[in-house]
Amino acid sequence: METSSEHQAYDFAYVQEKWLPIWDKLEPFKSGRSDDPRPKKYVLDMFPYPSGDLHMGHAEAYALGDVIARYWIQKGFNVMHPIGWDAFGLPAENAAIKRNEDPRIWTYENIATQKSSMRRYACSFDWDRVFNTCDPEYYKWNQWLFTKLHDRGLAYRKDSAVNWCPGCQTVLANEQVVAGLCERCDSAVTKKKLNQWYFKITDYADRLLDDMAELEGKWPEKVLLMQRNWIGRSQGANVNFVIEGRTEPVTIYTTRPDTLYGATFMVVAADSALAAELAAGTAVEAEFTSYLEKIKAASDIDRLATDRPKSGVDLKRFAINPVNGEKLPIWASDYVLADYGTGAIMAVPAHDQRDLDFARAMKLPVRVVVETGEEDPNETGIATTGDGKLVNSGALNGLTKNDAIAAINKQLEADGLGKSARNYRLRDWLVSRQRYWGTPIPIVHCDKCGEVAVPDSELPLLLPVAKGLDLKPKGQSPLAAATEWVNTKCPKCAGPAMRDTDTMDTFVDSSWYYLRYPSSTNATEPFNRAEIDTWLPVDQYVGGVTHAILHLLYSRFFTKVLYDMKMLDFTEPFTRLLNQGMVVMDGSAMSKSRGNLVRLSDELENHGVDAIRLSMVFSGPPEDDVDWADVSPSGSVKFLSRAWRLSGDVTSAPGADFSKGEISLRKATHKALNDASFAVESFRFNVAVARVMELVNATRKAIDSGCGAADPAVREATEAIAIMLSLVAPFTAEEMWERLGHKPAIALAGWPTVDPALLIDDEVEAVIQINGKIKDRMNVSPNISEADFEAAALALPSIISELAGAVPKKVIARPPKLVNIVL
RNA sequence: GCCCCCGUAGUCCAAUGGCAGAGACAGAGGACUUAAAAUCCUUCCAGUAUCGGUUCGAGUCCGAUCGGGGGCACCA
């Protein structure tokens, strides 16, 4: 075998080929050894969708996840760093339609491609734990969990208006609607009323919100905020309005019960059952019906238009304001949402912009009931929303907003006319899809018994083979055509019954996959409790901010449900979260059509794995986007060879006594180790790399013009460099380690212990300021006392002459760095 | 419209409220070389978007403005 001598240039291709088979044999990242005494840590990268080979985005994500996993391994932890594939979903189905073959083929081919790319990219994954969500061994448990949610009343069906793409003839998830258009065919998405399966995530709204307290400081603030906004809890009151000619009063929700006296009309959502009922049999029924038709035809893109004029129909019916007996006309309009609150509102145009816009459009009265000091909304057309004194409000007159809210809530409750209430922006999670490539919903519909869950013993309910099925979207699941599969017996009464033909949203698959890794081949249960107790919750989760809301929210929801089922004893799945940025090119997302696509395989070919990983990590903070136009992979190559060269220069033997080494280089080494640790633990990987570069520079200098290559400090520094580098550039690091006379794998070498004594400088330079301006500097001991420090500063000749006898008002001494003399 | 984040050399980025520069890219010069590459060394470049405030001291905290980015989408 060829050996790399120190005279040879650093050859990344050779080094990569050399080490991969050796690592395969050593398996340094196996985490399942039962006799492993190391403390455990669970580091998880969001699993990929197998949509082709790995791209630049994967390269960044896995480089960052690897730094964390490899760091904790060096720190002596038994790190579980697993990987799998989120393998159900639309792209496979589209590819299957295009190629006229089973989606399994495309999916498993891509998984194999990605897997081999990950190996070449030197990801520190534990390959023993791999699974794919499209494996029946996995989706069996999706189905099992579905039936358990069904048992608990958390999975239910209801009619609802859903996103509908007329082009693809299918229901779309919210995230598949981009700016009102179908992400696939660009058709304008409309609403369609369909009977669909839902998970009752709204039951968990408060817990999802309140439990975020324990994630504070551990998850990015931005993600917590997005989740809070998404859940959107609001505090207000439900108020009952009697309707003329109707026995039941109508309840409205408002966040401003203090403005009840300012209500001048009521609006019901045009697409609500209440609107239809109120219009039925009246003179305006025809007008209402045609209005409703118009709304239903309107696409999302129209609904999204910002300054859309208000429209509606006067139903010529009246509600009675419970506080003053006033007759309020009832209108139907599409600006009120049917599925928020009760689908009906009291309109207070003076203090709500939307109501004011509507009132002005329909020439309805506007009555100010809060004096906010702002201009009259009647004149300006701008509703006043600030605080102030109540007027025209009976007993509430003179109160401020908050006092008025408290007073009116109390009054309404006493009179049985209403009470304080909460509402949420969060809606239940629509989980059924009319698609083939997903988990079949394990429900049988029986004329006699209704919805019957498929019993555990019959799971997995296998997805029928695609052969013979028309997978093209046509508004109904392709599974409906698999008649043999659909027609079945009722598990309860054994009578004829039909299977549910929908499949589950793939977000279901990813909502609990992290629980599967510790026992990924378990055939008798979704996850093993003992293994869960040892590994979970995930210590560190790494992934894109694109999943800030849905995936993370759904996972949190599942965890809480499983907690309630007593299958877990924690309520938050991910203790710490890191969101990496995107890889862009010239400021915008990479795409073939934009012509700025950078191919990962080309970059790896040209610069090597280590240089690409290093470029990703060094480009800036991990949360920031990496603009590939700004990074220099060739600069990374240069640095790596510079570091590699050091390992050939060291002439002392392995095991040399470092304590005999040259002191200043030793200090630099220990400081670098210490700083890099701190930087990695606070996710400032770019700073950690900078510290290594600094140490490389110092070591180079020591060899060339300092203590010389034979000094033990040079070996100590170079070994530290190799170990720190092993987090980012495993091939280079391993090669250095070997040249330093050590055996593989460097991944398990262990982080050198930092000697605190070597972190203290003998002398530090302190600055002396007068009124915050630097006047002089002096060298002092790092442990100088405050009094000595101050005295020394005041005794400096330059300071004495500068002061010219003036007596300082105050002297701020911050030993050993700074003295500020205030005159 | 509401909410949030960010503005530091030509570029990417560092800096527990305490000397604005750790590191890198690009640029310039030099050493080595017949030459080039590689390597090594040296070096240029900002006062932190703007205005005001708090403080002994502000890139850092607070307020406003300008610029860039993100989330939500009539949620009453």
Side-chain angles (χ1 to χ4, degrees):
Chain A
M1 196 204 261
E2 190 187 349
T3 54
S4 53
S5 82
E6 63 183 285
H7 302 292
Q8 240 179 311
Y10 177 60
D11 180 352
F12 62 78
Y14 160 73
V15 170
Q16 286 171 204
E17 288 314 309
K18 171 178 167 187
W19 289 111
L20 280 175
I22 296 173
W23 290 340
D24 286 345
K25 204 173 286 171
L26 291 173
E27 297 186 304
F29 306 116
K30 233 182 167 55
S31 54
R33 297 184 173 99
S34 55
D35 57 346
D36 199 321
R38 297 173 295 172
K40 294 181 171 60
K41 218 173 242 297
Y42 187 177
V43 176
L44 181 63
D45 290 296
M46 288 183 185
F47 62 168
Y49 184 83
S51 57
D53 201 355
L54 300 183
H55 52 65
M56 295 297 280
H58 293 116
E60 187 198 7
Y62 298 134
L64 297 173
D66 235 42
V67 170
I68 298 175
R70 287 171 177 272
Y71 172 75
W72 289 113
I73 293 168
Q74 294 291 19
K75 281 285 185 173
F77 285 82
N78 179 12
V79 172
M80 176 168 68
H81 187 209
I83 194 72
W85 276 270
D86 188 14
F88 270 138
L90 205 50
E93 200 164 329
N94 289 342
I97 293 166
K98 207 163 149 192
R99 297 158 54 149
N100 194 26
E101 64 180 27
D102 197 300
R104 287 169 181 83
I105 297 170
W106 184 87
T107 302
Y108 284 104
E109 272 175 12
N110 284 340
I111 289 172
T113 304
Q114 291 194 347
K115 192 173 175 182
S116 92
S117 293
M118 285 169 174
R119 174 182 168 267
R120 267 183 282 117
Y121 199 61
C123 295
S124 60
F125 295 137
D126 181 345
W127 294 106
D128 291 347
R129 300 180 183 274
V130 172
F131 61 80
N132 312 303
T133 57
C134 64
D135 299 338
E137 296 75 24
Y138 182 82
Y139 72 68
K140 169 181 181 173
W141 301 111
N142 269 348
Q143 294 172 329
W144 186 88
L145 288 164
F146 188 101
T147 62
K148 295 300 164 258
L149 262 68
H150 190 249
D151 290 347
R152 299 177 77 85
L154 291 172
Y156 70 97
R157 289 198 302 163
K158 71 171 177 190
D159 283 321
S160 169
V162 297
N163 299 310
W164 177 259
C165 172
C168 302
Q169 285 288 298
T170 187
V171 163
L172 297 181
N174 281 329
E175 61 273 14
Q176 288 160 337
V177 182
V178 179
L181 302 178
C182 170
E183 67 165 358
R184 274 193 294 162
C185 71
D186 281 345
S187 305
V189 173
T190 59
K191 293 287 179 196
K192 188 168 180 175
K193 204 152 221 178
L194 284 173
N195 190 269
Q196 298 283 296
W197 283 100
Y198 289 83
F199 283 163
K200 216 171 196 171
I201 191 170
T202 51
D203 271 10
Y204 286 75
D206 280 321
R207 285 165 68 185
L208 288 166
L209 207 50
D210 298 338
D211 288 356
M212 267 188 264
E214 70 180 78
L215 304 176
E216 210 69 57
K218 299 174 180 169
W219 279 33
E221 195 48 44
K222 181 182 165 185
V223 174
L224 295 177
L225 244 156
M226 280 164 75
Q227 295 223 349
R228 282 196 185 97
N229 292 339
W230 186 262
I231 297 166
R233 182 160 70 193
S234 90
Q235 184 65 48
N238 282 332
V239 186
N240 305 325
F241 282 67
V242 169
I243 309 294
E244 284 188 351
R246 189 180 196 262
T247 33
E248 276 299 299
V250 165
T251 303
I252 61 96
Y253 173 75
T254 178
T255 53
R256 293 291 306 274
D258 57 311
T259 62
L260 204 41
Y261 286 85
T264 53
F265 55 99
M266 177 184 274
V267 187
V268 297
D271 53 343
S272 65
L274 177 63
E277 180 216 304
L278 291 175
T282 70
V284 296
E285 186 170 8
E287 190 193 342
F288 169 76
T289 310
S290 80
Y291 177 66
L292 191 57
E293 290 302 315
K294 213 175 72 193
I295 292 169
K296 278 190 181 156
S299 63
D300 267 19
I301 199 135
D302 294 328
R303 288 181 55 86
L304 287 169
T306 37
D307 288 332
R308 204 159 61 97
K310 293 276 186 286
S311 65
V313 177
D314 184 353
L315 297 178
K316 308 274 194 235
R317 309 254 328 230
F318 297 90
I320 309 300
N321 189 330
V323 292
N324 57 13
E326 269 182 1
K327 269 176 73 166
L328 307 178
I330 303 176
W331 287 68
S333 173
D334 67 345
Y335 89 88
V336 172
L337 303 177
D339 59 351
Y340 182 78
T342 58
I345 62 151
M346 68 170 191
V348 185
H351 306 297
D352 182 283
Q353 191 59 47
R354 295 153 300 183
D355 295 346
L356 182 57
D357 293 343
F358 191 82
R360 285 164 79 93
M362 304 303 167
K363 309 256 181 302
L364 293 160
V366 178
R367 185 196 302 146
V368 173
V369 290
V370 185
E371 284 297 355
T372 63
E374 296 155 281
E375 284 181 68
D376 186 356
N378 275 300
E379 320 263 306
T380 59
I382 299 163
T384 59
T385 55
D387 202 353
K389 286 247 184 310
L390 275 277
V391 294
N392 299 322
S393 295
L396 299 180
N397 283 341
L399 296 178
T400 60
K401 181 169 152 182
N402 284 338
D403 292 345
I405 290 174
I408 191 77
N409 279 349
K410 205 171 155 195
Q411 189 58 48
L412 288 168
E413 190 134 11
D415 298 344
L417 296 169
K419 59 177 171 192
S420 71
R422 273 177 178 180
N423 257 310
Y424 304 86
R425 216 196 65 100
L426 181 71
R427 304 296 144 89
D428 276 340
W429 172 13
L430 198 172
V431 293
S432 45
R433 297 287 182 271
Q434 292 70 50
R435 301 231 174 82
Y436 172 75
W437 193 228
T439 306
I441 289 179
I443 296 287
V444 169
H445 300 279
C446 170
D447 284 343
K448 257 194 270 173
C449 312
E451 285 168 14
V452 182
V454 175
D456 294 358
S457 60
E458 289 176 30
L459 298 179
L461 169 58
L462 290 175
L463 187 60
V465 288
K467 198 168 189 286
L469 295 180
D470 179 11
L471 299 185
K472 285 194 197 75
K474 50 200 165 300
Q476 197 190 23
S477 171
L479 294 182
T483 45
E484 273 184 40
W485 184 86
V486 171
N487 292 306
T488 184
K489 277 192 302 193
C490 172
K492 229 183 219 169
C493 71
M498 310 251 285
R499 293 199 186 284
D500 199 292
T501 57
D502 284 353
T503 53
M504 290 181 215
D505 181 4
T506 57
F507 273 109
V508 175
D509 313 354
S510 55
S511 290
W512 66 280
Y513 78 106
Y514 46 89
L515 302 171
R516 181 77 179 162
Y517 284 124
S519 50
S520 60
T521 56
N522 196 326
T524 55
E525 49 189 355
F527 46 84
N528 177 270
R529 180 59 190 264
E531 293 282 355
I532 290 287
D533 289 346
T534 41
W535 289 105
L536 272 284
V538 174
D539 293 291
Q540 179 65 59
Y541 200 24
V542 181
V545 73
T546 39
H547 298 107
I549 299 175
L550 296 178
H551 163 58
L552 292 170
L553 194 70
Y554 295 153
S555 298
R556 297 181 59 225
F557 164 61
F558 257 66
T559 301
K560 289 172 203 305
V561 172
L562 292 167
Y563 172 84
D564 290 349
M565 289 167 66
K566 309 229 181 316
M567 292 181 68
L568 302 173
D569 68 352
F570 53 92
T571 55
E572 285 295 335
F574 312 122
T575 307
R576 294 240 281 172
L577 173 67
L578 172 65
N579 284 136
Q580 87 274 1
M582 290 193 311
V583 185
V584 301
M585 185 64 187
D586 292 320
S588 45
M590 290 184 192
S591 76
K592 225 180 266 175
S593 59
R594 211 181 258 119
N596 65 349
L597 193 76
V598 178
R599 282 175 47 134
L600 176 60
S601 54
D602 293 346
E603 298 299 301
L604 294 175
E605 184 69 29
N606 293 336
H607 308 288
V609 169
D610 282 356
I612 298 310
R613 292 171 57 123
L614 176 66
S615 299
M616 292 292 184
V617 169
F618 184 57
S619 71
E623 309 82 22
D624 288 8
D625 287 350
V626 178
D627 194 328
W628 202 247
D630 292 332
V631 309
S632 168
S634 56
S636 297
V637 174
K638 215 170 93 181
F639 164 69
L640 289 172
S641 19
R642 191 170 150 85
W644 170 85
R645 239 177 284 121
L646 293 176
S647 64
D649 290 344
V650 171
T651 55
S652 58
D657 185 359
F658 296 155
S659 68
K660 298 212 166 65
E662 193 273 324
I663 192 73
S664 69
L665 182 59
R666 294 206 70 206
K667 284 187 171 179
T669 301
H670 285 252
K671 187 171 176 349
L673 285 166
N674 193 56
D675 289 0
S677 263
F678 182 69
V680 168
E681 288 184 35
S682 44
F683 302 148
R684 282 149 51 245
F685 309 133
N686 54 325
V687 177
V689 172
R691 291 293 103 86
V692 183
M693 289 174 166
E694 226 176 333
L695 185 58
V696 168
N697 293 341
T699 311
R700 180 80 263 153
K701 200 168 266 176
I703 292 171
D704 291 349
S705 56
C707 57
D711 194 289
V714 169
R715 167 166 285 274
E716 183 182 32
T718 308
E719 290 188 353
I721 289 164
I723 290 166
M724 289 189 279
L725 222 43
S726 77
L727 312 187
V728 184
F731 292 107
T732 309
E734 192 73 83
E735 186 68 16
M736 287 177 72
W737 199 236
E738 186 190 49
R739 279 155 60 94
L740 285 164
H742 297 293
K743 288 201 158 42
I746 190 175
L748 301 174
W751 197 263
T753 308
V754 173
D755 182 350
L758 290 170
L759 295 177
I760 299 162
D761 291 316
D762 299 331
E763 241 186 13
V764 291
E765 190 182 58
V767 291
I768 319 303
Q769 301 177 329
I770 295 179
N771 287 339
K773 300 247 173 356
I774 295 158
K775 295 295 178 188
D776 205 351
R777 290 151 199 277
M778 60 178 182
N779 288 328
V780 296
S781 149
N783 335 306
I784 191 167
S785 74
E786 192 171 326
D788 289 352
F789 190 44
E790 183 178 327
L794 289 169
L796 285 171
S798 62
I799 298 301
I800 291 170
S801 76
E802 187 82 32
L803 289 176
V807 181
K809 232 186 272 171
K810 192 159 40 158
V811 179
I812 317 267
R814 291 280 178 276
K817 294 174 80 177
L818 171 140
V819 178
N820 189 13
I821 300 158
V822 185
L823 293 180

